[in-house]
Amino acid sequence: MIKSRILITCPKGIPPFLKQELIDKNFPVLSERRAGVETEGSLDDAMLLNLHLRTGHRVLFLLKEFAARDADELYRTLFGIAWERYIPEDGYLCITSSVENPTIKDSRFASLKCKDAIVDRIKEKCGKRPDSGPERNRSVVHLYWKDDHGAVYLDTSGEPLSRRGYRKIPLGAPMQETLAAAVVLAAGWNGAGNFINPMCGSGTLAIEAALIGLDRAPGLLRSNFGFMHLKGFNEGLWNELREKARQKAKKVLSGKIIATDISPHAVEASQKNAATAGVERHIDFSVCNFSDTPLSGNSGIMVMNPEYGERMGEIQKLEATYKGIGDYLKQNCRGFSAFLFTGSPHLAKKVSLKPRRTFQFFNSGIECRLLEYELYEGTRKIKKPKPDDRSIGDHAPVDAPAPEDGHV
Ligand SMILES: C[S@@+](CC[C@H](N)C(=O)[O-])C[C@H]1O[C@@H](n2cnc3c(N)ncnc32)[C@H](O)[C@@H]1O
């Protein structure tokens, strides 16, 4: 089976977690980029990656790197690739692209040239050509072209892997599934101990925690991937990989996952989403204010993702909520590692706790921080700062901004 470079894309901030996932699966890491990690393998390996990766978006199998100055050269180069080996002549093809070339004003023109080269080549070799259009649920080819340098990939994922398929009832401001998985991994949850998720919204963090804790491959939830629409799709191997993944998954968690929200509608949506993901019996849901969340035992990981508002009025209203979160953590959550995911540094300050670590992420293009607060149990003294006192102890309340960019 031919090996090639495989680029796995992801949002900025996530590559360190994606890289670790690849290392854990014994894949080499060829390079780490701002929004992706490169490895190598065969198309069969690409299937395995689609099945198991939690933080990657698209698994792109490199077909060819090339030099092209303009659209005619692009067409000629792409026409020279043996597409008839990969794309069924009676199939359906979608081209996605990332183009920055001085001769191209509209990247759709480059995609069109790419599509023409592929379908013309297939028509010449097979006497028939695939249909084409914008839907990404069948064969997908990705074109990258920056200045004179280009690369074409088979997108073996098709629809991005962030669309796990369990979020049938999304609410406002849900977190992308892949981002939620990265947040759970950053928090260090591995299924042992408790995972507490007040303000659970549509349940994404709790559901991803359950999938991680149970070692359940997220790809088991999906029935359609781009690689299934390529010639030579090894269906037997795919079924074997799925079966192996199913058998490896745990049946029970040693710790507890607790998810709560003040909105009954959110809790109902979370329960339904968890049921679709097949993890509802591993999560205890209830409707309550975050501060009444039942804590199982006196240690574990707590992750909260409160709204962070966009307009001034909204942000002002949320100040009291963030202050309340800080009070709750200090008074009720000693012994827990608490994590706050927010896109507002201003609101994060209202928590008045000094983060031990900070991870940078991006949620729908907004720069966000995951702040970790270590809440020691017992006698560790909390020193109240005087108005001008900025020299602070490890966990003393602080009214200073969260440190910049401390991601792993
Ligand atoms: C940004 S959303 C969480 C999104 C979630 N991470 C997801 O992926 O769907 C914030 C949630 O906090 C809830 N919330 C707001 N104030 C609350 C409070 N005082 N107590 C509990 N939940 C609250 C809202 O109902 C909303 O569902």
Side-chain angles (χ1 to χ4, degrees):
M1 176 127 264
I2 301 163
K3 278 198 171 192
S4 184
R5 289 189 351 238
I6 296 175
L7 174 65
I8 303 142
T9 65
C10 64
K12 282 187 287 176
I14 289 187
F17 303 97
L18 179 53
K19 180 178 161 187
Q20 191 55 50
E21 283 201 87
L22 287 169
I23 293 168
D24 293 345
K25 291 263 162 269
N26 294 319
F27 277 83
V29 173
L30 303 186
S31 67
E32 185 178 332
R33 305 187 183 176
R34 241 160 49 105
V37 180
E38 204 182 20
T39 183
E40 65 180 358
S42 62
L43 275 169
D44 286 352
D45 291 322
M47 288 204 291
L48 187 90
L49 293 171
N50 275 290
L51 180 59
H52 287 281
L53 289 180
R54 299 182 189 281
T55 60
H57 274 202
R58 303 163 77 191
V59 180
L60 304 175
F61 183 85
L62 179 70
L63 278 190
K64 190 177 169 78
E65 271 189 296
F66 55 85
R69 272 162 302 180
D70 54 33
D72 289 338
E73 215 174 325
L74 177 78
Y75 178 92
R76 279 197 301 279
T77 307
L78 296 183
F79 187 85
I81 296 173
W83 294 104
E84 65 281 2
R85 286 195 207 145
Y86 304 103
I87 313 284
E89 56 275 18
D90 51 0
Y92 175 97
L93 173 67
C94 169
I95 310 290
T96 60
S97 65
S98 161
V99 174
E100 253 180 75
N101 177 284
T103 68
I104 302 290
K105 285 205 185 73
D106 184 340
S107 71
R108 281 174 301 182
F109 180 63
S111 297
L112 190 71
K113 275 284 179 198
C114 175
K115 186 268 293 171
D116 285 349
I118 298 173
V119 301
D120 290 353
R121 164 88 189 201
I122 295 175
K123 178 100 200 274
E124 190 183 280
K125 298 288 171 187
C126 308
K128 213 176 159 197
R129 53 151 284 185
D131 284 340
S132 62
E135 280 151 50
R136 286 162 69 167
N137 57 1
R138 282 158 281 174
S139 309
V140 182
V141 166
H142 181 71
L143 167 71
Y144 168 85
W145 190 21
K146 187 163 192 302
D147 301 325
D148 286 358
H149 174 249
V152 264
Y153 300 88
L154 294 171
D155 181 344
T156 65
S157 306
E159 299 281 0
L161 299 179
S162 51
R163 299 198 195 137
R164 307 260 202 259
Y166 63 71
R167 216 159 51 189
K168 300 282 184 219
I169 312 180
L171 300 171
M175 204 184 247
Q176 240 179 4
E177 293 89 323
T178 33
L179 173 60
V183 166
V184 173
L185 293 171
W189 161 256
N190 57 13
N194 300 315
F195 185 91
I196 318 285
N197 179 210
M199 306 178 135
C200 68
S202 53
T204 327
L205 283 160
I207 293 169
E208 289 300 322
L211 294 172
I212 290 171
L214 292 163
D215 200 8
R216 248 188 230 174
L220 285 173
L221 296 166
R222 259 173 64 150
S223 56
N224 188 31
F225 293 89
F227 60 76
M228 293 175 169
H229 305 277
L230 298 176
K231 278 187 179 172
F233 161 48
N234 188 345
E235 196 171 355
L237 177 65
W238 174 240
N239 290 334
E240 251 173 60
L241 293 174
R242 282 176 63 90
E243 192 45 39
K244 248 192 221 160
R246 256 192 226 111
Q247 283 179 8
K248 198 167 94 26
K250 292 181 197 139
K251 302 275 175 288
V252 283
L253 285 168
S254 53
K256 250 182 189 269
I257 302 182
I258 294 170
T260 67
D261 199 287
I262 202 163
S263 150
H265 177 55
V267 171
E268 195 189 329
S270 289
Q271 279 171 316
K272 286 192 176 148
N273 290 337
T276 309
V279 295
E280 78 279 24
R281 70 187 177 87
H282 302 283
I283 306 174
D284 294 345
F285 290 101
S286 53
V287 178
C288 63
N289 192 50
F290 66 84
S291 56
D292 296 322
T293 298
L295 299 177
S296 173
N298 50 12
S299 68
I301 289 171
M302 176 179 286
V303 184
M304 283 193 227
N305 168 212
E307 280 115 351
Y308 34 85
E310 274 169 27
R311 285 174 289 275
M312 212 43 224
E314 288 168 355
I315 294 172
Q316 271 164 0
K317 269 194 209 144
L318 285 166
E319 285 178 359
T321 306
Y322 277 70
K323 187 182 173 306
I325 290 173
D327 293 344
Y328 168 64
L329 294 179
K330 284 173 241 167
Q331 287 154 20
N332 299 69
C333 305
R334 305 226 143 244
F336 281 81
S337 282
F339 293 82
L340 183 79
F341 184 93
T342 180
S344 168
H346 167 75
L347 288 171
K349 279 196 242 167
K350 303 293 165 198
V351 171
S352 294
L353 276 166
K354 187 190 177 203
R356 191 170 84 94
R357 280 192 301 169
T358 305
F359 301 85
Q360 183 193 40
F361 287 110
F362 289 81
N363 192 21
S364 311
I366 298 173
E367 188 177 340
C368 294
R369 295 276 195 268
L370 178 69
L371 307 159
E372 177 181 4
Y373 307 107
E374 197 72 42
L375 303 158
Y376 285 106
E377 208 167 12
T379 54
R380 206 175 169 94
K381 287 265 185 318
I382 294 192
K383 178 179 158 236
K384 277 223 159 133
K386 294 176 205 127
D388 59 345
D389 183 1
R390 297 260 163 176
S391 61
I392 36 162
D394 214 0
H395 298 280
V398 59
D399 199 19
E404 287 304 303
D405 200 2
H407 74 90
V408 286

